[in-house]
Amino acid sequence: DGTDGGAGVAGSISSSTIRYGYDGVAIQGATGINVTGNNMYSEGLYGAYLNGSNSAITSNNLYASSCGISISASGTNATISSNNLYGNGQSGVLGGVKGDLLTNNKSYSNTNYGFDISSSFATTLSSNSIYANHSDGIYAADAANDAIVGNSIYNNSHSGINFWWIGSGATNNNLAGNIIYGNGIFGLQFNGAVSNAISGNYIFSNKNYGVNYVFTSQGNLMAGGTLGHSTTTLSAPDSNAEIALTV
């Protein structure tokens, strides 16, 4: 099975079971496609592949494929919302390239990341629940001008959010109002990340540090928010520093 939409195609795909294809739904250059309310699973590669602008993938169950949703460099201004993405062999969502909105999704128990938004630009991740993934909750290598706001990111095996340096580094991103806890390494990791704004987040009970800045990360601004448990609600403090500056 599987559905492939090319240039000139418009419309919607809804309330279907789509399984055992190379991809479940592949949007190839088409614009304005709505994919909603489907069960897409056990695909060879992607549950949904988006290679066209201004499309929406909403309220689907995407599981047991190599990746739940993949957004290519041409998948701009997409809306990815209210999906359940779980048990995929790589990430729940791979992409978020330019101007995309990723909101109100649940991404959990994926082998790699909940969201891999590397090299994204001006993308918004908001109100997502991202948990129990076997690497980072959000991996954001070289991401720029993104907004990561109001998400719950917890119990991932590595870090809650990992801003990593591959080429240009992660720059000018805004992290606000997120709850980040119980992750296996750091709550937030900054390595080669420059001029990011971190405000109003609640970060606690991560295994190593709440926030780890590697020396290559400069010009980041942290203001407001809470790091560590309140002593009125927890009898023992976190076991490591809440903020670490490392070399």
Side-chain angles (χ1 to χ4, degrees):
D1 295 346
T3 301
D4 196 334
V9 177
S12 65
I13 301 166
S14 64
S15 304
S16 300
T17 296
I18 304 170
R19 59 190 180 181
Y20 307 133
Y22 183 76
D23 298 321
V25 173
I27 300 172
Q28 301 277 14
T31 62
I33 303 294
N34 294 313
V35 180
T36 185
N38 302 284
N39 290 309
M40 293 180 274
Y41 62 92
S42 297
E43 315 296 352
L45 196 55
Y46 307 126
Y49 176 67
L50 180 55
N51 185 33
S53 62
N54 299 297
S55 290
I57 300 175
T58 61
S59 302
N60 302 282
N61 295 310
L62 301 110
Y63 59 96
S65 298
S66 179
C67 182
I69 298 172
S70 178
I71 306 170
S72 79
S74 298
T76 58
N77 300 312
T79 297
I80 310 297
S81 69
S82 303
N83 299 286
N84 291 314
L85 306 124
Y86 59 95
N88 294 291
Q90 296 182 25
S91 300
V93 175
L94 173 64
V97 179
K98 186 174 182 181
D100 296 324
L101 173 63
L102 312 174
T103 186
N104 202 37
N105 302 284
K106 292 182 178 179
S107 187
Y108 58 96
S109 299
N110 298 291
T111 299
N112 281 351
Y113 311 113
F115 289 83
D116 181 348
I117 57 167
S118 298
S119 301
S120 58
F121 181 84
T123 284
T124 297
L125 276 76
S126 65
S127 304
N128 299 287
S129 295
I130 306 166
Y131 58 94
N133 296 289
H134 298 295
S135 186
D136 302 314
I138 299 172
Y139 180 66
D142 296 347
N145 296 85
D146 290 344
I148 300 176
V149 295
N151 302 283
S152 296
I153 306 166
Y154 58 96
N155 294 347
N156 298 288
S157 296
H158 290 180
S159 296
I161 305 176
N162 188 355
F163 285 102
W164 200 255
W165 175 88
I166 295 176
S168 59
T171 59
N172 297 311
N173 298 290
N174 178 37
L175 284 72
N178 301 287
I179 300 174
I180 304 170
Y181 65 93
N183 296 291
I185 302 180
F186 308 116
L188 299 178
Q189 160 86 323
F190 294 90
N191 188 342
V194 177
S195 299
N196 299 285
I198 306 102
S199 63
N201 301 284
Y202 186 16
I203 303 169
F204 63 94
S205 287
N206 298 287
K207 185 174 182 179
N208 287 350
Y209 305 126
V211 181
N212 185 50
Y213 293 100
V214 178
F215 74 99
T216 52
S217 297
Q218 301 177 1
N220 299 290
L221 174 64
M222 176 174 284
T226 302
L227 286 87
H229 277 291
S230 167
T231 57
T232 63
T233 59
L234 187 74
S235 59
D238 290 346
S239 58
N240 289 305
E242 299 301 343
I243 301 175
L245 308 176
T246 60
V247 296

